[in-house]
Every structure is written in C-alpha cells, then in structure tokens.
Amino acid sequence: MPTAHSHSHSQRAAHDVAPLAAAGCATVTVTTTAAAAAATTATTAIHPPSADVYVVHSAADDAQARLDALALWAEAFERAHGRAPAVWLGSASADLSLVATELLEHMPVYMARCRRLLVLAGARTPDLISSAVEVYAWFALGGRIEEVEVAIVAPDGRGDAGSNAGLGAVVSAFDAFHAMYSLADDDTEVARRLMAAIELAGVAQLNGVLRELLPLVMAAAEHVRVRTSDASV
C-alpha cells in the first residue's frame, strides 16, 4: 500500500498514472485536491470510486512486466467493450492525503465499488502477503470466482512469459502458495495489521482462497502459450 509522504499529490499522481494511460487504461481515483485531479487527463476523479476492475499486483514482480500484462488485458477489454477500461490500481488511484494505514482501512470500500477483480499473476505475486490479503478481501466482500480475471506477468521482466519455463514458474507459485512463506511488504504498522488480518481469517482459509485461483492462472498461462506459439509460426 502506498504512503503519502514522499511526493506531492500532483507529482505522485502523474508519476503513477502516466504509464497506465500508455497501457490503454483510464484510472479511477479518489482525490481531495484540485491539483491531484488535474495531474493527468487520463485520471477521472470520482468519489466514491467505480471501476471495471480492481487490480491486484505485487511489487515483487517486475514493474514493466506488470504494465505489459495490463496493456495486453486492456487491449482485449477494449476490443470486447469498445472503450478503454477504468481500473483501480493502488497508488495511482488512492486518496494521496491518506497515510498507509488509512489506505489499508479504505481498501475494502474501494474494492467493493469495482465490478471485477484483475490479478496480474507473476512468479513472485504470492511472495508478498498484501496481494494475498487483497484476493481474500474480494471473496470476503461477496465477490465470486466468476468475476475474477488473471493476466500473466512475464517472470522477472525477461519477456519470456510464453516459454514453458516462464509459465511453469507462474503456475507453480500459485500451486505452492502458503501464507507461512509469504512476506510482509515491510515491518511497519501496515505489516502488523496485515498479519493480524491473516490470523483473523485463518491461514487455511487464506491458503484455500489463493489456490482457488489456480485454474484461472493455468487457463491464462495456456492462453499465453498458445498466443506465443501462433506468433512464432
């Protein structure tokens, strides 16, 4: 989860949203200042937010690879719907006047206003416990597996997500997920609260929710494999 300490509102919004605009996504944001709302033409200031998808991703995966995966998903969405998708994505969307613990508290509200969940699945996505907690929150709020989509992230940004080894690494990461092996993003109060949430939900319950994504991850990996194979012919 982002903090609001290191950049001004306008600097942070422009830095985070510009790559998303290049990826073909409109970004739903919550803002409290005119400067943040005007930071980029790709940003739609809405309160409360409403978006096509809430994006779950992990900072442990390569940043450019995540953007590439999002761009491919956005292209498919635009072909199907005739418009760019509106996405809710972390620091590009959140109210930048809030500190990290407040952003964590608001996360379920933001998620509840999104129609679907999009998981950018990379080989290291399960490494950070915050990603697992976000997926768990989706189902705890009444979200259904039929409303979840998965886009494959190339392992380590090497661009080899279509290789058998690259796809296998992503699938294996979700297949072998266990909360005991996931790491907190840092050792701050946010991390303490995330661990408390896991204790409340139950480790077995969290593990089960993440593994419920495995068929979707496998199907998305197979789609990438076929697409890559067709492109090479």
Side-chain angles (χ1 to χ4, degrees), residues 8-216:
S8 72
H9 290 175
S10 59
Q11 287 174 326
R12 183 62 174 271
H15 176 269
D16 290 336
V17 175
L20 296 179
C25 297
T27 309
V28 173
T29 63
V30 174
T31 60
T32 55
T33 66
T40 171
T41 57
T43 301
T44 305
I46 301 175
H47 189 78
S50 179
D52 294 302
V53 294
Y54 183 103
V55 181
V56 173
H57 65 106
S58 172
D61 290 312
D62 181 79
Q64 186 58 52
R66 280 178 279 151
L67 280 173
D68 291 344
L70 183 60
L72 285 173
W73 174 85
E75 289 175 7
F77 182 98
E78 187 163 5
R79 286 195 301 270
H81 299 278
R83 63 175 176 83
V87 304
W88 179 275
L89 179 58
S91 58
S93 299
D95 185 342
L96 297 179
S97 69
L98 301 178
V99 297
T101 52
E102 292 172 319
L103 290 169
L104 180 63
E105 292 165 0
H106 289 202
M107 180 265 288
V109 178
Y110 300 151
M111 183 177 285
R113 294 289 295 170
C114 297
R115 299 175 187 91
R116 300 178 69 82
L117 189 75
L118 173 63
V119 179
L120 301 183
R124 301 191 62 197
T125 302
D127 285 357
L128 296 185
I129 204 63
S130 56
S131 301
V133 169
E134 285 181 306
V135 173
Y136 177 83
W138 173 261
F139 291 103
L141 290 167
R144 299 175 299 162
I145 191 68
E146 294 83 6
E147 298 165 332
V148 179
E149 299 180 50
V150 170
I152 300 296
V153 176
D156 301 323
R158 295 191 301 267
D160 62 353
S163 71
N164 288 334
L167 293 173
V170 175
V171 171
S172 294
F174 282 82
D175 186 29
F177 173 81
H178 195 294
M180 288 179 57
Y181 305 125
S182 295
L183 304 173
D185 299 59
D186 49 44
D187 58 357
T188 64
E189 175 65 13
V190 170
R192 189 193 69 77
R193 294 191 185 190
L194 287 172
M195 298 310 295
I198 293 171
E199 292 177 6
L200 182 63
V203 171
Q205 184 75 5
L206 186 70
N207 291 341
V209 165
L210 262 290
R211 288 179 183 150
E212 192 172 351
L213 296 183
L214 183 59
L216 297 180

